[in-house]
Amino acid sequence: QVQLQESGPGLVKPSETLSLTCTVSGGSVSSGTYYWTWIRQPPGKGLEWIGYIFYGGSTRYNPSLRGRVTISVDKSKNQFSLNLNSVIAADTAMYYCARETYYHRSGSNTLDFWGQGTLVTVSS
Amino acid sequence: DIQLTQSPSFLSASVGDRVTITCRASQDISSHLAWYQQKPGKGPTVLIYAASTLQSGVPSRFSGSGSGTEFTLTISSLLPEDYATYFCQQLNDYPRTFGGGTTVDIK
C-alpha cells in the first residue's frame, strides 16, 4: 500500500519561502506513470491544485500561483518537494501531497493516494 | 479554468437515507471526473473515478454517474461512517479543479 507523508515548518513568515517535503513509502517516485502532486486547502475554503512533477521529471503548475512555485523530486530519498516563494497570508492552508495515476482501463486519471496533510500558517 | 459547482454544499440525512450529490462542470469534461471523501483530520480518499468506476475497496453503496457537464454521486443507504465531506474533481484539463464540497451531517 502506497503511503504519503508531508513534513515541513508549520509557520512561515511573509515574503519568505514555504518548503514542504512528501515522503513516499510502499512505492517509488521513479517508477510508473505517476504524477506526484501538491494540493492545498485554505481554512474554510475549497481545494486548489498546485501542480505536479511527473516521474520523468517534467512539471506543471497552476498559473494562479504566478511563477512562485517549484516542485522537485529526490529519487535517492523517495521524496518530492514543494517550494512556494514570496508567501503571503493567503498562502495559509492545509497542504496535501498526492499521487495522480492514469488508469488505462478507463482512460482516466485520479488522485489515488493522499497524505493526511500539513497545516502551514503564514504570519510574522 | 474549468469551474465545478457542487450542490448542495451541506445536507442533513439519516442513517439509511439515499443521498445524491451533484457536480456541474462549466464545460464538457467527458467522463474525467472523480469523487473523494474526506473525514476530519484525514486526507481525502477516492471513491469514484472516470465518473462511474468504483475504486477498489470502496463499498458498492457508492455509485457515480454522468458525463459531459453533469455528474452525480449517490450513496444508496447512508451508514454512520459515511458522515463526511465529499468533493468532485475534474481531470480533463489543467489546472485540475475541484468542486466546493458537500458536507453530509447527521439529521
Side-chain angles (χ1 to χ4, degrees), chain A residues 61-112:
Chain A
Y61 304 125
N62 194 326
S64 69
L65 293 167
R66 294 185 292 276
R68 295 192 295 133
V69 61
T70 304
I71 298 174
S72 58
V73 67
D74 186 335
K75 295 178 183 179
S76 67
K77 295 181 179 178
N78 213 34
Q79 296 174 333
F80 63 105
S81 298
L82 169 70
N83 274 2
L84 181 66
N85 58 40
S86 305
V87 297
I88 60 175
D91 294 313
T92 293
M94 184 72 79
Y95 285 77
Y96 296 97
C97 59
R99 187 184 84 172
E100 181 178 316
T101 300
Y102 175 70
Y103 285 77
H104 292 269
R105 198 168 180 180
S106 66
S108 195
N109 297 38
T110 192
L111 291 163
D112 55 358

Side-chain angles (χ1 to χ4, degrees), chain A residues 5-14 16-21 38 41 43 82 87-95 117-124:
Chain A
Q5 179 67 59
E6 305 88 350
S7 60
L11 181 65
V12 182
K13 290 182 168 56
E16 295 190 345
T17 297
L18 181 160
S19 296
L20 296 175
T21 296
W38 287 96
Q41 185 171 31
L82 169 70
V87 297
I88 60 175
D91 294 313
T92 293
M94 184 72 79
Y95 285 77
T118 189
L119 179 62
V120 179
T121 301
V122 177
S123 175
S124 55

